Amino acid sequence: MKSWPLFVVCTVLCWGAYVPMIHHGQLAFGTKNSALRAFLFIGAAYFLIAGITLGYLLISKAEPLQLTRLGVGLSTLAGVLGALGALGIVFAIKSGGAPIAVAPLVFAGAPVVNTIVAMLWDKPAEPPRVMFFVGIVLACAGAAIVLRFKPV
């Protein structure tokens, strides 16, 4: 059995709980303006996980520590995009967005943007079929339906 689907399930579970966890983390500080404190600890957690992972890779020699300028640059930019996305969620919640509304918009919109960016970066051999565009419309419609009929 291939292991990549297990990592996908792990990510879906973690990111599915991400927005509500950020919301409750902000609330747990007990004051109205606690978004940046929550973001501080989100960043600390990223740093901690990165450090533990790097330590494991160095000790186990599971992956060589060979760096290239392009790899460092693109990976750092990916980290910046991830951090800015997390900051966007933090401020969306801080400014009144409920997790039940923020998450469907983020997690329906992000795959569409991901697909477009991936197709621009790595040009597909064939142009997208009509069903691809139907899928984009359905993703948007799905988010709209979730938002329209969310429990109150």
Side-chain angles (χ1 to χ4, degrees), residues 14-29 34-43 46 82-94 97-99 102-103 106-107:
C14 290
W15 284 4
Y18 186 63
V19 177
M21 192 67 70
I22 289 173
H23 176 65
H24 286 279
Q26 287 178 355
L27 294 175
F29 282 107
S34 56
L36 292 179
R37 282 177 278 170
F39 187 65
L40 171 69
F41 289 98
I42 292 167
Y46 272 80
L84 289 174
L87 187 60
I89 289 172
V90 165
F91 280 120
I93 292 169
K94 175 185 176 11
V102 171
V106 169
F107 295 124

Side-chain angles (χ1 to χ4, degrees), residues 20-78:
M21 192 67 70
I22 289 173
H23 176 65
H24 286 279
Q26 287 178 355
L27 294 175
F29 282 107
T31 60
K32 185 177 180 184
N33 294 321
S34 56
L36 292 179
R37 282 177 278 170
F39 187 65
L40 171 69
F41 289 98
I42 292 167
Y46 272 80
F47 185 76
L48 178 66
I49 296 297
I52 290 170
T53 303
L54 181 60
Y56 166 76
L57 291 175
L58 289 173
I59 290 169
S60 69
K61 297 184 179 167
E63 188 173 310
L65 188 61
Q66 297 172 333
L67 306 176
T68 65
R69 184 179 306 213
L70 183 60
V72 168
L74 291 174
S75 298
T76 301
L77 182 56

Side-chain angles (χ1 to χ4, degrees), residues 129-151:
R129 296 186 191 133
V130 171
M131 290 309 289
F132 169 80
F133 297 104
V134 169
I136 289 176
V137 169
L138 287 174
C140 296
I145 291 168
V146 167
L147 290 173
R148 171 67 178 94
F149 296 103
K150 70 184 182 296

